[in-house]
Amino acid sequence: ARKVYLRPGIGIGQLQKWYGGSYKRGARTEHFRKAASGIIRSVLLQLEEMKVTEKLPGGGRRMSRVGQQDLDRIAGTVFRMGEEDDDEDEDDY
């Protein structure tokens, strides 16, 4: 969901490139391969069912209003917890 949040309009093909990697061929040189599109598609469909993402008319996906609020809330919680940990670490010195 984070990739869709940062790049609205991203599609399955772009996510394939992002999550792809080296194809190891033994003693021969490695070659880049795209990630499996079926897995990415099923994840995006699950996010759509949860109302986190939505399809764009021209293709690709973007975050829905509810999904954006959820991710913002989670990010704020993580940030506050990180600040609390930093305050505790400073007290140790």
Side-chain angles (χ1 to χ4, degrees):
R2 183 173 177 272
K3 290 285 176 206
V4 179
Y5 181 85
L6 294 174
R7 291 181 160 263
I10 196 168
I12 294 172
Q14 288 176 313
L15 290 170
Q16 276 184 286
K17 282 185 185 177
W18 177 260
Y19 289 112
S22 295
Y23 176 64
K24 295 175 177 47
R25 309 183 316 149
R28 296 175 293 174
T29 57
E30 297 176 354
H31 282 290
F32 178 81
R33 289 288 184 262
K34 292 181 182 178
S37 61
I39 296 170
I40 294 171
R41 190 177 302 111
S42 66
V43 168
L44 289 175
L45 287 173
Q46 289 174 12
L47 288 171
E48 268 185 57
E49 289 173 5
M50 294 168 38
K51 305 288 188 230
V52 175
T53 62
E54 55 190 20
K55 280 188 178 179
L56 290 174
R61 305 244 181 356
R62 71 170 180 196
M63 297 301 294
S64 65
R65 184 176 300 247
V66 175
Q68 188 166 353
Q69 289 173 349
D70 287 344
L71 286 181
D72 289 341
R73 181 180 41 81
I74 292 167
T77 305
V78 170
F79 181 73
R80 281 191 297 278
M81 290 182 76
E83 284 183 335
E84 290 172 6
D85 290 344
D86 290 343
D87 292 342
E88 292 172 8
D89 291 342
E90 290 174 2
D91 294 340
D92 293 342
Y93 293 112

